[in-house]
Amino acid sequence: MPDRPKTRSSRFRFGRPSANAAVVVALIAAVALVVAAVVRDDAPPPTVTAADTPLKVSVVGDSYSRGLPDTVVWPTLAAESTGWSVNNVSIFSAGYVATDGNGTYADQIDAAVADDPDVVFVVGGINDVGKPPELIMQRAIDTLGELARRAPRAKLVVMGPIWHEIPVPEAAAVIDDSVRAAASMLRLPYLSVVGEDWLVPEGMIQEDGIHPTEAGQRVLAQQIVASLENTGVPFV
């Protein structure tokens, strides 16, 4: 196998972020009233599907979930191993803020809720590298809150950005903190995986230095299924 290139895509050059954690903390107070309208103590619990009914899971995400250019992706592999009926609506280059003209996570909402899913799983955010943390957090609140309103029966689970280098670049950690804060405000289960070594071994990342190989996607499928099980997502 050729050596992985040392040059990264310019879009993923992790420099020192322009904002700091204090900005995120300040924003938490500013959005508290908005969140109160989304989170209701009397909201019905998610419905658990019967054992003989495939669990309907919608995946909102980016190219880590959609695949680029590989066609073997973790949502499909997870469906094969668990019995999910998976609706993968992920978009290349998407983020809570980032779009590259293809659409953001918010643009995936219509497709994600179309088949009345049992679970909506929102994954990633690495494309928001370099974006202001307060903006990432606000867009995440808006997107996740809209998903909660549009799919009130579904269990909504959020996983942060996935990356493949240890130590974790500071800018990736900023995204993770911003999305985590949004999920916490909405009382949603949050899985922080940016510091996991899932994709660190050789052969897990393509020559572009960004996207998982087929082997990497298989590792993601195994690890993500295990992570979801820990949140209490029912499997068939």
Side-chain angles (χ1 to χ4, degrees), residues 105-147:
Y105 281 18
D107 293 314
Q108 302 173 41
I109 292 176
D110 286 348
V113 304
D115 65 346
D116 188 27
D118 301 304
V119 178
V120 177
F121 188 36
V122 186
V123 187
I126 198 65
N127 289 310
D128 286 329
V129 62
K131 301 293 192 295
E134 67 274 15
L135 180 58
I136 297 171
M137 179 180 167
Q138 183 59 64
R139 292 286 182 84
I141 288 172
D142 294 343
T143 301
L144 299 174
E146 183 65 12
L147 278 167

Side-chain angles (χ1 to χ4, degrees), residues 5 9 36 47 61 66-67 70 73 80 84 113-114 143-144 147 163 166-167 180 183 193 203 215 233:
S9 168
T47 300
R66 173 54 59 185
D70 48 325
V73 292
E80 292 172 355
W84 288 352
V113 304
T143 301
L144 299 174
L147 278 167
W163 197 238
I166 303 294
R180 184 206 308 268
V193 300
V233 170

Side-chain angles (χ1 to χ4, degrees), residues 29-60:
V31 301
L33 292 178
V34 175
V35 173
V38 175
V39 179
R40 306 186 311 279
D41 289 337
D42 61 349
T47 300
V48 178
T49 56
D52 59 348
T53 303
L55 188 76
K56 293 190 293 185
V57 179
S58 288
V59 177
V60 173

